[in-house]
Amino acid sequence: MEEVKLLGTWASAFSYRVLWALKLKGVQYEYVEEDLFNKSELLLRCNPVHKKIPVLIHGGKPIAESAVILEYIEEIWPQNPLLPQDPYERTLARFWIKFGEDKFPIFYKFFHSVGEEQVKATKEAKELLKVIEEHGLGEKKYFGGDNIGLTDIAYGWIACWLGVLAEAAGVQLLDAESFPKLQAWADRFKEVPLIKDNLPDPDQMLNYFKLRREQLVASATS
């Protein structure tokens, strides 16, 4: 069996996407924690273009960008499929994954902005959440139906990171009153055993992102 190695960092939702997919597939792998302020030679060699995590190394061959890695995992390890078998449903899954990738910078704006700009960014993030809830998730248990799939993994940061980011930034985004279906999905997602057992400590996350927020605000207002 070819060696599988994941380069990531504990606070990164993008790293956890890959980790969750490997766990759900039952793939054995070695995890390597990266220091993003002192990047390893291995990371720089494996991702010379973006110099970012996550990177999956399979049989000595590196694959970068979490959404691309998820597709690779699905193709290489077909057991426990995470994409629908129906071509149309599979295309829909890829559409919503790409939608989330394209809109992520808009989601993240509330975290690194202040004042009126943050108010506007928070409103835009809520509008995107409503689109995802109404048109992506709808009345389904998971994005692909009754079972967790690649789209759920791609949006897992909403379930497990968004609340922490919002609290660190002093705003409110996802709540049961405004987004009942999306909140129910988030709660359900976090109770999946392989997800629940593979999450960073929430207090550690909050402390980390509060500090990161302070640094961003200080930089923006200096």
Side-chain angles (χ1 to χ4, degrees), residues 89 92-93 95-97 99-100 128-145 151-152 155 181-182 185:
E89 295 298 330
L92 282 182
F95 170 87
W96 284 108
I97 291 170
F99 181 86
L128 284 175
L129 287 174
K130 185 55 69 175
V131 170
I132 293 167
E133 179 179 66
E134 292 184 355
H135 302 287
L137 181 63
E139 302 299 327
K140 301 186 295 294
K141 183 177 179 182
Y142 294 103
F143 279 87
T151 313
D152 302 283
Y155 283 109
K181 291 180 285 190
L182 199 56
W185 164 82

Side-chain angles (χ1 to χ4, degrees), residues 50-117:
H50 297 300
K51 303 177 176 63
K52 295 179 179 179
I53 51 89
V55 174
L56 184 75
I57 306 172
H58 180 213
K61 298 175 182 177
I63 306 101
E65 296 296 307
S66 62
V68 176
I69 297 171
L70 292 181
E71 286 273 1
Y72 180 84
I73 290 171
E74 178 70 359
E75 187 169 335
I76 295 297
W77 294 285
Q79 69 271 22
N80 306 325
L82 297 171
L83 280 174
Q85 296 302 302
D86 178 76
Y88 176 72
E89 295 298 330
R90 192 159 60 245
T91 301
L92 282 182
R94 290 188 171 116
F95 170 87
W96 284 108
I97 291 170
K98 187 176 188 306
F99 181 86
E101 296 299 289
D102 292 344
K103 302 300 183 184
F104 184 79
I106 298 175
F107 271 117
Y108 194 63
K109 270 177 20 181
F110 79 87
F111 186 72
H112 60 74
S113 56
V114 295
E116 288 300 316
E117 187 180 346

Side-chain angles (χ1 to χ4, degrees), residues 22-75:
L22 291 170
K23 292 281 187 182
L24 289 165
K25 290 285 188 178
V27 177
Q28 298 295 314
Y29 65 95
E30 176 189 351
Y31 176 76
V32 178
E33 178 72 16
E34 284 286 338
D35 179 356
L36 299 186
F37 298 100
N38 184 26
K39 297 175 182 178
S40 71
E41 286 297 322
L42 179 61
L43 174 60
L44 297 176
R45 187 171 71 249
C46 289
N47 191 2
V49 177
H50 297 300
K51 303 177 176 63
K52 295 179 179 179
I53 51 89
V55 174
L56 184 75
I57 306 172
H58 180 213
K61 298 175 182 177
I63 306 101
E65 296 296 307
S66 62
V68 176
I69 297 171
L70 292 181
E71 286 273 1
Y72 180 84
I73 290 171
E74 178 70 359
E75 187 169 335

